[in-house]
Amino acid sequence: MEIVRSQRSRTNTPNDSVSTLPLYRYAPQLEVRLEDFEVFAMDRLRVLKGISDALARGKRPEEMENLVRDLWKANMRHPEASEDVNKDIISHFVLRLVYCRTEDLRKWFLSMETALYRYRFLLGSSEAKRALMEEFDLPCKAISRTEFENAKEKLEQVARSFDQPLPTADAIFYKVPFEEVPELVAGRRVYIHKGHAYVAMHQVVSLVVTQFRSNLSKALILTNRKWTSTIREQEKDRLTPIVEALSMSYLGPDYSQTKEFGEISIKDLDQLARSSFPLCMRHLFDKLREDHHLKHGGRMQLGLFLKGVGLRMEDALAFWKAEFSHKVGAERFDKEYAYSIRHNYGKEGKRTDYTPYSCQKIISSTPGVGDHHGCPYRHFSEENLRAALGRMGVGSRAMEDVVDKVRNRHYQLACTLTFEAVHSSSCDAGINHPNQYFSDSHKILQPKNNNAA
Amino acid sequence: MTKEESKNGSDDMLIDGPKQGNVIPDGFNPNYLKVYYGRLFPHADIFKWMSYGNDGRHPACDKSYFGRREFSFTLDNDIYLRFQSFNSESELENSIKEKCPSKIDIGPVYSVDPAKRHAYAQGGDNVFAPVERELIFDIDITDYDDVRYCCSGADVCLECWPLMTVAIKVIDTALRDDFGFDHILWVYSGRRGVHCWVCDGKARRLTNEQRGAIADYFRVYKGNENSNKKVSFPGPLHPFLVRSYTEVLREFFEEKLLLSQNLFSTEERYEKILSMIPDESVTSELRGKWQENRRSSNSKEDINFFRWEQLKNTLQSGKQKVQGLRRCVEEIVFAFTYPRLDMEVSKHRNHLLKAPFCVHPKTGRVCIPIDPKDCEELDPTTVPTLSELLRELNTGDSRMDVDNATLTLPMFFLVAEWEKTSLGKSIRFFRSSFLQPLLKSCKEEMESGYKAKIQQTKNSLSW
């Protein structure tokens, strides 16, 4: 791709012009104007950000499909219709440069681009789907009549388990090694036999998406190497500032660099838990006080949250030690648990400074037997949730709204409503991160405290 | 209070270890370990296994393979040595004999020798990373504490142990029939659970995501004390669940567990089952029958069996107006009997797992392999202990002294030490059912892979 300043863009034959969904295999042989470089990228970023927000709010696949169609239409159309494909490809490659530079950026970009690809694939025609499958060179084979007859009963069982129409006599199924379709396997959405998964036509997207994801993941690593070794320096007066600015604008604060460490002390914790912790952290905190122990998932979720809140490592060690000592003794705490806390603060092992978990991460975790982490709006039974909310001081009117949101799987909205009820103040941005809940709460309550003093 | 025993790698640090009490339990003595490692522990077999055929002389053998495997040792005073690696069988054997670890864990095969990892850890590209690792499962009976009344925590008895047997049957069948794996080793964990090692090449090369997918495929029980309904089937069951139910779970629940755990005998117990039924009219009908029935025992039939039948009839009678009732019976059976796996163990390639043939420090029992085709035969209360084995060795030796018949003496020297003990059966089983078929398959894979590579080179060289 050649970036030019003033010349009008000329289009040579773009790759993959036959199918509407490009494969993004190679950077196109095009000349791009510098303004377009930035504008195309920002338009695509709006689409990706829209997807990110929708996923965080737990939107259903059908809703996502519509959303993607609308977002794409609103942002990715070019005044010259024939230029649509170019804009698509160019914007993708520009964003690769922007998002290849750290592990977090890569992870986010990979997830959003994969989601985008999935829904665009689903929106395409059967013909387009089949054509794209061939281009992807997938390790799957259509099953024969006999194979179908032999597996028919099981295939019907699978279809029924998801309320899908039963496969007809001429239904096409692909036999694929099970490891190629991990998400279908995980959801028990396919019949598996002797290592092969029997994938229905409408599920084929999973295969395509897995390949896409894997290809993009590798490409991002390579792009990062090229960026660090040559491009960044070469382009320091032209593209580099644009690229660096683009990534800042769209990732919210991740609370990894707490500016004021030591602002929170141990003696404040009980009171803060009652006034400013979101339900997930309050539950963990209460359980810790009650049981003098938390399993690993809970220790991570609460521990990192407290770090984000501003608890210094020395205080954290003292706090956890005081609790755990009741159960396992101080010596054992030092031997077995202290390391883990220092690890969280980046003082051991890889020395990574771990970031507190966002709502998205917490909602998607899976607490098991004896665990108390995860999102209570998702995992608590309605009865337990009502009781917990009651203890937080949520009134009956608000409680009904919260429960309603939970029934519709809008866990973050439920938490936002809880926040609003408890603080008697609105939270327009919505809750995306437990530390955000805390800092917003703190902001509201602080001036009151100062006045009271 | 139960503690998981799990070790993990560079990401999250899981260090929940067992607390060593002041009393040394029956059957275990750290001094005996020296003898055990000196005369009984099958070093050579572990080496052969972990080499997966690379210790041979075929040109395709990777000489660095064994050296890139991580082992970890837990020493007597809870000192924990990670990233141990060895370049040969003798290095492994000597280190074990010298250090006498109370526990040996096996980790993944890394991209480079773990001893050299510091030279590579830099840079976000993770050049020091796992490249191969068996697909492993860990099933611990403490995860069933909410459905077993005979024991809790670390205890295990013959009434609740069958839950493990059932778990083995369900998972083993699925691993072979559904996933197509052949080389599967089940091991008694020494106290209260079982481990599973899937060693096919394909399994060893699975990514974390793929392992997570398999673990999720097996996952049915979703919940903890905060949620009511832990097993929920919104629609008809997947063929895997159907097979598990009809071939294993239903029969086990109705003919064994109901009675051995007395699931309906008290109000507290039957209320727990009633809480899994989301229909007030059904639960109050049943409650009514059972509350009044307490004093009258009209039939000879066991009360648990009787009430279960009543429950089934009430749920299955007439039309099901409430959607949630259709598969309530199955949900209850699954909630009690379906295997509960530790997801984290299976999902991450860098997770460590205790090696077979270790001795459990709390019980003194040896972690012996279990034959999945015969898993009911395993009785955790009679698994050989360290002290028993040493006694057997001594008896064998003294027999040797007393019996001076020249006929038996040379025979005795030729026979491996473990043959003289009850460990013999386990090691023989390990070799014939698992190790030999595995190594044969590795050899075939290596040879055919090598041939294909040679052919490829030939093709690309042709003018």
PDB file of all heavy atoms in Angstrom, chain A residues 273 277-290 294 301-302 371-376 380 384 388 391-392, chain B residues 224-226:
ATOM      1  N   ALA A 273     -16.607  -0.717  51.298  1.00  0.00           N
ATOM      2  CA  ALA A 273     -17.300  -1.867  50.703  1.00  0.00           C
ATOM      3  C   ALA A 273     -18.799  -1.635  50.749  1.00  0.00           C
ATOM      4  O   ALA A 273     -19.529  -1.937  49.809  1.00  0.00           O
ATOM      5  CB  ALA A 273     -16.929  -3.145  51.439  1.00  0.00           C
ATOM      6  N   PHE A 277     -18.537  -0.172  46.759  1.00  0.00           N
ATOM      7  CA  PHE A 277     -18.173  -1.331  45.954  1.00  0.00           C
ATOM      8  C   PHE A 277     -19.361  -1.782  45.121  1.00  0.00           C
ATOM      9  O   PHE A 277     -20.492  -1.804  45.610  1.00  0.00           O
ATOM     10  CB  PHE A 277     -17.767  -2.511  46.837  1.00  0.00           C
ATOM     11  CG  PHE A 277     -16.372  -2.462  47.382  1.00  0.00           C
ATOM     12  CD1 PHE A 277     -15.613  -1.292  47.378  1.00  0.00           C
ATOM     13  CD2 PHE A 277     -15.803  -3.611  47.918  1.00  0.00           C
ATOM     14  CE1 PHE A 277     -14.332  -1.263  47.890  1.00  0.00           C
ATOM     15  CE2 PHE A 277     -14.514  -3.593  48.438  1.00  0.00           C
ATOM     16  CZ  PHE A 277     -13.777  -2.427  48.429  1.00  0.00           C
ATOM     17  N   PRO A 278     -19.129  -2.205  43.879  1.00  0.00           N
ATOM     18  CA  PRO A 278     -20.211  -2.828  43.122  1.00  0.00           C
ATOM     19  C   PRO A 278     -20.551  -4.178  43.749  1.00  0.00           C
ATOM     20  O   PRO A 278     -19.736  -4.719  44.515  1.00  0.00           O
ATOM     21  CB  PRO A 278     -19.611  -3.021  41.721  1.00  0.00           C
ATOM     22  CG  PRO A 278     -18.153  -3.052  41.935  1.00  0.00           C
ATOM     23  CD  PRO A 278     -17.860  -2.172  43.115  1.00  0.00           C
ATOM     24  N   LEU A 279     -21.695  -4.729  43.406  1.00  0.00           N
ATOM     25  CA  LEU A 279     -22.172  -5.940  44.069  1.00  0.00           C
ATOM     26  C   LEU A 279     -21.177  -7.086  43.993  1.00  0.00           C
ATOM     27  O   LEU A 279     -20.958  -7.802  44.977  1.00  0.00           O
ATOM     28  CB  LEU A 279     -23.517  -6.383  43.460  1.00  0.00           C
ATOM     29  CG  LEU A 279     -24.141  -7.626  44.098  1.00  0.00           C
ATOM     30  CD1 LEU A 279     -24.353  -7.423  45.580  1.00  0.00           C
ATOM     31  CD2 LEU A 279     -25.462  -7.957  43.417  1.00  0.00           C
ATOM     32  N   CYS A 280     -20.524  -7.244  42.833  1.00  0.00           N
ATOM     33  CA  CYS A 280     -19.615  -8.380  42.686  1.00  0.00           C
ATOM     34  C   CYS A 280     -18.491  -8.331  43.705  1.00  0.00           C
ATOM     35  O   CYS A 280     -18.142  -9.349  44.316  1.00  0.00           O
ATOM     36  CB  CYS A 280     -19.032  -8.421  41.270  1.00  0.00           C
ATOM     37  SG  CYS A 280     -18.253  -6.894  40.726  1.00  0.00           S
ATOM     38  N   MET A 281     -17.952  -7.145  43.910  1.00  0.00           N
ATOM     39  CA  MET A 281     -16.822  -7.009  44.830  1.00  0.00           C
ATOM     40  C   MET A 281     -17.294  -7.020  46.271  1.00  0.00           C
ATOM     41  O   MET A 281     -16.618  -7.544  47.166  1.00  0.00           O
ATOM     42  CB  MET A 281     -16.057  -5.717  44.534  1.00  0.00           C
ATOM     43  CG  MET A 281     -15.489  -5.673  43.139  1.00  0.00           C
ATOM     44  SD  MET A 281     -14.429  -7.111  42.809  1.00  0.00           S
ATOM     45  CE  MET A 281     -14.128  -6.901  41.077  1.00  0.00           C
ATOM     46  N   ARG A 282     -18.478  -6.466  46.490  1.00  0.00           N
ATOM     47  CA  ARG A 282     -18.998  -6.468  47.848  1.00  0.00           C
ATOM     48  C   ARG A 282     -19.258  -7.889  48.310  1.00  0.00           C
ATOM     49  O   ARG A 282     -18.974  -8.250  49.452  1.00  0.00           O
ATOM     50  CB  ARG A 282     -20.278  -5.655  47.868  1.00  0.00           C
ATOM     51  CG  ARG A 282     -20.751  -5.452  49.285  1.00  0.00           C
ATOM     52  CD  ARG A 282     -21.927  -4.557  49.317  1.00  0.00           C
ATOM     53  NE  ARG A 282     -22.741  -4.881  50.478  1.00  0.00           N
ATOM     54  CZ  ARG A 282     -23.440  -3.986  51.130  1.00  0.00           C
ATOM     55  NH1 ARG A 282     -23.409  -2.726  50.738  1.00  0.00           N
ATOM     56  NH2 ARG A 282     -24.165  -4.336  52.166  1.00  0.00           N
ATOM     57  N   HIS A 283     -19.791  -8.694  47.395  1.00  0.00           N
ATOM     58  CA  HIS A 283     -20.065 -10.092  47.721  1.00  0.00           C
ATOM     59  C   HIS A 283     -18.775 -10.816  48.071  1.00  0.00           C
ATOM     60  O   HIS A 283     -18.705 -11.543  49.073  1.00  0.00           O
ATOM     61  CB  HIS A 283     -20.763 -10.753  46.530  1.00  0.00           C
ATOM     62  CG  HIS A 283     -21.030 -12.208  46.721  1.00  0.00           C
ATOM     63  ND1 HIS A 283     -21.867 -12.696  47.703  1.00  0.00           N
ATOM     64  CD2 HIS A 283     -20.570 -13.294  46.066  1.00  0.00           C
ATOM     65  CE1 HIS A 283     -21.903 -14.002  47.639  1.00  0.00           C
ATOM     66  NE2 HIS A 283     -21.125 -14.400  46.650  1.00  0.00           N
ATOM     67  N   LEU A 284     -17.758 -10.613  47.255  1.00  0.00           N
ATOM     68  CA  LEU A 284     -16.471 -11.267  47.524  1.00  0.00           C
ATOM     69  C   LEU A 284     -15.915 -10.793  48.856  1.00  0.00           C
ATOM     70  O   LEU A 284     -15.400 -11.579  49.648  1.00  0.00           O
ATOM     71  CB  LEU A 284     -15.473 -10.939  46.408  1.00  0.00           C
ATOM     72  CG  LEU A 284     -15.631 -11.756  45.127  1.00  0.00           C
ATOM     73  CD1 LEU A 284     -14.818 -11.141  44.005  1.00  0.00           C
ATOM     74  CD2 LEU A 284     -15.193 -13.184  45.359  1.00  0.00           C
ATOM     75  N   PHE A 285     -16.002  -9.506  49.096  1.00  0.00           N
ATOM     76  CA  PHE A 285     -15.481  -8.922  50.323  1.00  0.00           C
ATOM     77  C   PHE A 285     -16.204  -9.504  51.534  1.00  0.00           C
ATOM     78  O   PHE A 285     -15.581  -9.930  52.514  1.00  0.00           O
ATOM     79  CB  PHE A 285     -15.652  -7.403  50.255  1.00  0.00           C
ATOM     80  CG  PHE A 285     -15.007  -6.672  51.386  1.00  0.00           C
ATOM     81  CD1 PHE A 285     -13.658  -6.345  51.331  1.00  0.00           C
ATOM     82  CD2 PHE A 285     -15.730  -6.300  52.517  1.00  0.00           C
ATOM     83  CE1 PHE A 285     -13.054  -5.670  52.370  1.00  0.00           C
ATOM     84  CE2 PHE A 285     -15.125  -5.615  53.556  1.00  0.00           C
ATOM     85  CZ  PHE A 285     -13.781  -5.297  53.478  1.00  0.00           C
ATOM     86  N   ASP A 286     -17.527  -9.541  51.462  1.00  0.00           N
ATOM     87  CA  ASP A 286     -18.312 -10.074  52.578  1.00  0.00           C
ATOM     88  C   ASP A 286     -17.984 -11.544  52.829  1.00  0.00           C
ATOM     89  O   ASP A 286     -17.862 -11.972  53.971  1.00  0.00           O
ATOM     90  CB  ASP A 286     -19.814  -9.926  52.302  1.00  0.00           C
ATOM     91  CG  ASP A 286     -20.274  -8.478  52.395  1.00  0.00           C
ATOM     92  OD1 ASP A 286     -19.516  -7.657  52.954  1.00  0.00           O
ATOM     93  OD2 ASP A 286     -21.371  -8.162  51.890  1.00  0.00           O
ATOM     94  N   LYS A 287     -17.842 -12.297  51.743  1.00  0.00           N
ATOM     95  CA  LYS A 287     -17.539 -13.723  51.883  1.00  0.00           C
ATOM     96  C   LYS A 287     -16.164 -13.909  52.499  1.00  0.00           C
ATOM     97  O   LYS A 287     -15.932 -14.842  53.275  1.00  0.00           O
ATOM     98  CB  LYS A 287     -17.591 -14.420  50.515  1.00  0.00           C
ATOM     99  CG  LYS A 287     -18.976 -14.799  50.081  1.00  0.00           C
ATOM    100  CD  LYS A 287     -19.557 -15.887  50.976  1.00  0.00           C
ATOM    101  CE  LYS A 287     -21.044 -16.055  50.760  1.00  0.00           C
ATOM    102  NZ  LYS A 287     -21.634 -16.932  51.779  1.00  0.00           N
ATOM    103  N   LEU A 288     -15.262 -13.023  52.128  1.00  0.00           N
ATOM    104  CA  LEU A 288     -13.912 -13.107  52.681  1.00  0.00           C
ATOM    105  C   LEU A 288     -13.950 -12.855  54.183  1.00  0.00           C
ATOM    106  O   LEU A 288     -13.337 -13.563  54.976  1.00  0.00           O
ATOM    107  CB  LEU A 288     -13.010 -12.083  51.995  1.00  0.00           C
ATOM    108  CG  LEU A 288     -11.576 -11.980  52.530  1.00  0.00           C
ATOM    109  CD1 LEU A 288     -10.833 -13.289  52.348  1.00  0.00           C
ATOM    110  CD2 LEU A 288     -10.837 -10.862  51.800  1.00  0.00           C
ATOM    111  N   ARG A 289     -14.695 -11.855  54.593  1.00  0.00           N
ATOM    112  CA  ARG A 289     -14.813 -11.549  56.016  1.00  0.00           C
ATOM    113  C   ARG A 289     -15.484 -12.702  56.760  1.00  0.00           C
ATOM    114  O   ARG A 289     -15.152 -13.021  57.886  1.00  0.00           O
ATOM    115  CB  ARG A 289     -15.673 -10.284  56.211  1.00  0.00           C
ATOM    116  CG  ARG A 289     -14.960  -8.984  55.839  1.00  0.00           C
ATOM    117  CD  ARG A 289     -14.036  -8.517  56.931  1.00  0.00           C
ATOM    118  NE  ARG A 289     -13.553  -7.164  56.763  1.00  0.00           N
ATOM    119  CZ  ARG A 289     -12.275  -6.806  56.933  1.00  0.00           C
ATOM    120  NH1 ARG A 289     -11.374  -7.734  57.226  1.00  0.00           N
ATOM    121  NH2 ARG A 289     -11.897  -5.551  56.797  1.00  0.00           N
ATOM    122  N   GLU A 290     -16.442 -13.329  56.063  1.00  0.00           N
ATOM    123  CA  GLU A 290     -17.218 -14.403  56.690  1.00  0.00           C
ATOM    124  C   GLU A 290     -16.430 -15.696  56.792  1.00  0.00           C
ATOM    125  O   GLU A 290     -16.372 -16.333  57.832  1.00  0.00           O
ATOM    126  CB  GLU A 290     -18.461 -14.619  55.828  1.00  0.00           C
ATOM    127  CG  GLU A 290     -19.607 -15.338  56.491  1.00  0.00           C
ATOM    128  CD  GLU A 290     -20.719 -15.529  55.455  1.00  0.00           C
ATOM    129  OE1 GLU A 290     -21.214 -14.501  54.940  1.00  0.00           O
ATOM    130  OE2 GLU A 290     -21.057 -16.692  55.159  1.00  0.00           O
ATOM    131  N   LEU A 294     -10.903 -17.176  50.334  1.00  0.00           N
ATOM    132  CA  LEU A 294     -11.531 -17.104  49.017  1.00  0.00           C
ATOM    133  C   LEU A 294     -10.728 -18.011  48.106  1.00  0.00           C
ATOM    134  O   LEU A 294      -9.506 -18.107  48.246  1.00  0.00           O
ATOM    135  CB  LEU A 294     -11.463 -15.681  48.439  1.00  0.00           C
ATOM    136  CG  LEU A 294     -12.523 -14.659  48.842  1.00  0.00           C
ATOM    137  CD1 LEU A 294     -12.256 -13.330  48.122  1.00  0.00           C
ATOM    138  CD2 LEU A 294     -13.930 -15.150  48.492  1.00  0.00           C
ATOM    139  N   GLN A 301     -10.043 -11.657  41.343  1.00  0.00           N
ATOM    140  CA  GLN A 301     -10.997 -10.607  41.005  1.00  0.00           C
ATOM    141  C   GLN A 301     -10.987  -9.516  42.063  1.00  0.00           C
ATOM    142  O   GLN A 301     -10.902  -8.326  41.736  1.00  0.00           O
ATOM    143  CB  GLN A 301     -12.396 -11.219  40.874  1.00  0.00           C
ATOM    144  CG  GLN A 301     -13.414 -10.266  40.275  1.00  0.00           C
ATOM    145  CD  GLN A 301     -14.745 -10.965  40.026  1.00  0.00           C
ATOM    146  OE1 GLN A 301     -14.813 -12.011  39.402  1.00  0.00           O
ATOM    147  NE2 GLN A 301     -15.806 -10.367  40.536  1.00  0.00           N
ATOM    148  N   LEU A 302     -11.067  -9.891  43.320  1.00  0.00           N
ATOM    149  CA  LEU A 302     -11.101  -8.878  44.378  1.00  0.00           C
ATOM    150  C   LEU A 302      -9.743  -8.223  44.569  1.00  0.00           C
ATOM    151  O   LEU A 302      -9.643  -7.003  44.742  1.00  0.00           O
ATOM    152  CB  LEU A 302     -11.563  -9.507  45.703  1.00  0.00           C
ATOM    153  CG  LEU A 302     -11.680  -8.535  46.880  1.00  0.00           C
ATOM    154  CD1 LEU A 302     -12.715  -7.444  46.586  1.00  0.00           C
ATOM    155  CD2 LEU A 302     -12.073  -9.276  48.165  1.00  0.00           C
ATOM    156  N   ASP A 371     -16.940 -21.213  44.573  1.00  0.00           N
ATOM    157  CA  ASP A 371     -16.453 -19.922  44.086  1.00  0.00           C
ATOM    158  C   ASP A 371     -17.448 -18.819  44.398  1.00  0.00           C
ATOM    159  O   ASP A 371     -18.651 -19.060  44.477  1.00  0.00           O
ATOM    160  CB  ASP A 371     -16.261 -19.968  42.569  1.00  0.00           C
ATOM    161  CG  ASP A 371     -14.997 -20.711  42.179  1.00  0.00           C
ATOM    162  OD1 ASP A 371     -13.993 -20.586  42.903  1.00  0.00           O
ATOM    163  OD2 ASP A 371     -15.030 -21.410  41.165  1.00  0.00           O
ATOM    164  N   HIS A 372     -16.930 -17.605  44.517  1.00  0.00           N
ATOM    165  CA  HIS A 372     -17.827 -16.463  44.711  1.00  0.00           C
ATOM    166  C   HIS A 372     -17.558 -15.333  43.739  1.00  0.00           C
ATOM    167  O   HIS A 372     -18.109 -14.253  43.877  1.00  0.00           O
ATOM    168  CB  HIS A 372     -17.707 -15.949  46.152  1.00  0.00           C
ATOM    169  CG  HIS A 372     -18.164 -16.956  47.159  1.00  0.00           C
ATOM    170  ND1 HIS A 372     -19.475 -17.336  47.284  1.00  0.00           N
ATOM    171  CD2 HIS A 372     -17.474 -17.697  48.042  1.00  0.00           C
ATOM    172  CE1 HIS A 372     -19.564 -18.273  48.229  1.00  0.00           C
ATOM    173  NE2 HIS A 372     -18.374 -18.506  48.704  1.00  0.00           N
ATOM    174  N   HIS A 373     -16.703 -15.621  42.731  1.00  0.00           N
ATOM    175  CA  HIS A 373     -16.397 -14.536  41.790  1.00  0.00           C
ATOM    176  C   HIS A 373     -17.408 -14.564  40.647  1.00  0.00           C
ATOM    177  O   HIS A 373     -18.432 -15.219  40.742  1.00  0.00           O
ATOM    178  CB  HIS A 373     -14.953 -14.649  41.290  1.00  0.00           C
ATOM    179  CG  HIS A 373     -14.668 -15.918  40.551  1.00  0.00           C
ATOM    180  ND1 HIS A 373     -14.429 -17.098  41.160  1.00  0.00           N
ATOM    181  CD2 HIS A 373     -14.589 -16.162  39.220  1.00  0.00           C
ATOM    182  CE1 HIS A 373     -14.189 -18.029  40.254  1.00  0.00           C
ATOM    183  NE2 HIS A 373     -14.286 -17.483  39.067  1.00  0.00           N
ATOM    184  N   GLY A 374     -17.101 -13.855  39.573  1.00  0.00           N
ATOM    185  CA  GLY A 374     -18.061 -13.756  38.478  1.00  0.00           C
ATOM    186  C   GLY A 374     -19.029 -12.625  38.743  1.00  0.00           C
ATOM    187  O   GLY A 374     -18.891 -11.873  39.712  1.00  0.00           O
ATOM    188  N   CYS A 375     -20.009 -12.471  37.869  1.00  0.00           N
ATOM    189  CA  CYS A 375     -20.974 -11.378  37.996  1.00  0.00           C
ATOM    190  C   CYS A 375     -22.228 -11.892  38.686  1.00  0.00           C
ATOM    191  O   CYS A 375     -22.919 -12.758  38.150  1.00  0.00           O
ATOM    192  CB  CYS A 375     -21.330 -10.838  36.611  1.00  0.00           C
ATOM    193  SG  CYS A 375     -22.560  -9.515  36.680  1.00  0.00           S
ATOM    194  N   PRO A 376     -22.558 -11.360  39.866  1.00  0.00           N
ATOM    195  CA  PRO A 376     -23.729 -11.874  40.583  1.00  0.00           C
ATOM    196  C   PRO A 376     -25.028 -11.659  39.819  1.00  0.00           C
ATOM    197  O   PRO A 376     -25.966 -12.440  39.969  1.00  0.00           O
ATOM    198  CB  PRO A 376     -23.731 -11.094  41.897  1.00  0.00           C
ATOM    199  CG  PRO A 376     -22.746 -10.011  41.749  1.00  0.00           C
ATOM    200  CD  PRO A 376     -21.853 -10.321  40.609  1.00  0.00           C
ATOM    201  N   PHE A 380     -26.375 -15.270  40.301  1.00  0.00           N
ATOM    202  CA  PHE A 380     -27.234 -15.453  41.473  1.00  0.00           C
ATOM    203  C   PHE A 380     -28.635 -15.848  41.047  1.00  0.00           C
ATOM    204  O   PHE A 380     -29.139 -15.408  40.016  1.00  0.00           O
ATOM    205  CB  PHE A 380     -27.345 -14.136  42.248  1.00  0.00           C
ATOM    206  CG  PHE A 380     -26.231 -13.880  43.218  1.00  0.00           C
ATOM    207  CD1 PHE A 380     -24.983 -14.455  43.055  1.00  0.00           C
ATOM    208  CD2 PHE A 380     -26.439 -13.066  44.311  1.00  0.00           C
ATOM    209  CE1 PHE A 380     -23.959 -14.203  43.956  1.00  0.00           C
ATOM    210  CE2 PHE A 380     -25.421 -12.809  45.216  1.00  0.00           C
ATOM    211  CZ  PHE A 380     -24.186 -13.378  45.037  1.00  0.00           C
ATOM    212  N   ASN A 384     -31.654 -14.862  45.710  1.00  0.00           N
ATOM    213  CA  ASN A 384     -30.407 -14.400  46.330  1.00  0.00           C
ATOM    214  C   ASN A 384     -30.064 -13.004  45.881  1.00  0.00           C
ATOM    215  O   ASN A 384     -29.525 -12.199  46.653  1.00  0.00           O
ATOM    216  CB  ASN A 384     -29.263 -15.359  45.985  1.00  0.00           C
ATOM    217  CG  ASN A 384     -29.387 -16.663  46.753  1.00  0.00           C
ATOM    218  OD1 ASN A 384     -30.056 -16.716  47.763  1.00  0.00           O
ATOM    219  ND2 ASN A 384     -28.748 -17.696  46.250  1.00  0.00           N
ATOM    220  N   ALA A 388     -29.474  -9.729  48.204  1.00  0.00           N
ATOM    221  CA  ALA A 388     -28.211  -8.980  48.180  1.00  0.00           C
ATOM    222  C   ALA A 388     -28.450  -7.511  47.871  1.00  0.00           C
ATOM    223  O   ALA A 388     -27.847  -6.617  48.481  1.00  0.00           O
ATOM    224  CB  ALA A 388     -27.272  -9.594  47.143  1.00  0.00           C
ATOM    225  N   ARG A 391     -29.756  -5.724  50.828  1.00  0.00           N
ATOM    226  CA  ARG A 391     -28.706  -5.377  51.788  1.00  0.00           C
ATOM    227  C   ARG A 391     -27.921  -4.163  51.338  1.00  0.00           C
ATOM    228  O   ARG A 391     -27.320  -3.471  52.150  1.00  0.00           O
ATOM    229  CB  ARG A 391     -27.743  -6.554  51.986  1.00  0.00           C
ATOM    230  CG  ARG A 391     -28.309  -7.666  52.842  1.00  0.00           C
ATOM    231  CD  ARG A 391     -27.201  -8.619  53.275  1.00  0.00           C
ATOM    232  NE  ARG A 391     -26.647  -9.364  52.147  1.00  0.00           N
ATOM    233  CZ  ARG A 391     -27.161 -10.498  51.689  1.00  0.00           C
ATOM    234  NH1 ARG A 391     -28.234 -11.017  52.262  1.00  0.00           N
ATOM    235  NH2 ARG A 391     -26.604 -11.113  50.664  1.00  0.00           N
ATOM    236  N   MET A 392     -27.909  -3.918  50.031  1.00  0.00           N
ATOM    237  CA  MET A 392     -27.188  -2.743  49.536  1.00  0.00           C
ATOM    238  C   MET A 392     -28.022  -1.481  49.683  1.00  0.00           C
ATOM    239  O   MET A 392     -27.532  -0.374  49.471  1.00  0.00           O
ATOM    240  CB  MET A 392     -26.831  -2.926  48.057  1.00  0.00           C
ATOM    241  CG  MET A 392     -25.560  -3.717  47.851  1.00  0.00           C
ATOM    242  SD  MET A 392     -25.162  -3.890  46.113  1.00  0.00           S
ATOM    243  CE  MET A 392     -24.267  -2.381  45.825  1.00  0.00           C
TER     244      MET A 392
ATOM    245  N   ASN B 224     -22.870 -22.656  41.928  1.00  0.00           N
ATOM    246  CA  ASN B 224     -22.297 -22.728  43.256  1.00  0.00           C
ATOM    247  C   ASN B 224     -23.426 -22.406  44.222  1.00  0.00           C
ATOM    248  O   ASN B 224     -24.576 -22.342  43.828  1.00  0.00           O
ATOM    249  CB  ASN B 224     -21.137 -21.747  43.386  1.00  0.00           C
ATOM    250  CG  ASN B 224     -21.513 -20.369  42.877  1.00  0.00           C
ATOM    251  OD1 ASN B 224     -22.648 -19.942  42.958  1.00  0.00           O
ATOM    252  ND2 ASN B 224     -20.543 -19.679  42.336  1.00  0.00           N
ATOM    253  N   GLU B 225     -23.071 -22.178  45.483  1.00  0.00           N
ATOM    254  CA  GLU B 225     -24.144 -22.079  46.471  1.00  0.00           C
ATOM    255  C   GLU B 225     -25.077 -20.906  46.220  1.00  0.00           C
ATOM    256  O   GLU B 225     -26.130 -20.802  46.805  1.00  0.00           O
ATOM    257  CB  GLU B 225     -23.538 -21.970  47.863  1.00  0.00           C
ATOM    258  CG  GLU B 225     -22.761 -20.682  48.063  1.00  0.00           C
ATOM    259  CD  GLU B 225     -21.904 -20.727  49.307  1.00  0.00           C
ATOM    260  OE1 GLU B 225     -21.128 -21.664  49.438  1.00  0.00           O
ATOM    261  OE2 GLU B 225     -22.038 -19.829  50.124  1.00  0.00           O
ATOM    262  N   ASN B 226     -24.670 -19.981  45.353  1.00  0.00           N
ATOM    263  CA  ASN B 226     -25.515 -18.815  45.159  1.00  0.00           C
ATOM    264  C   ASN B 226     -26.641 -19.023  44.164  1.00  0.00           C
ATOM    265  O   ASN B 226     -27.584 -18.255  44.121  1.00  0.00           O
ATOM    266  CB  ASN B 226     -24.659 -17.634  44.700  1.00  0.00           C
ATOM    267  CG  ASN B 226     -23.644 -17.272  45.754  1.00  0.00           C
ATOM    268  OD1 ASN B 226     -23.978 -17.143  46.913  1.00  0.00           O
ATOM    269  ND2 ASN B 226     -22.401 -17.154  45.354  1.00  0.00           N
TER     270      ASN B 226
END
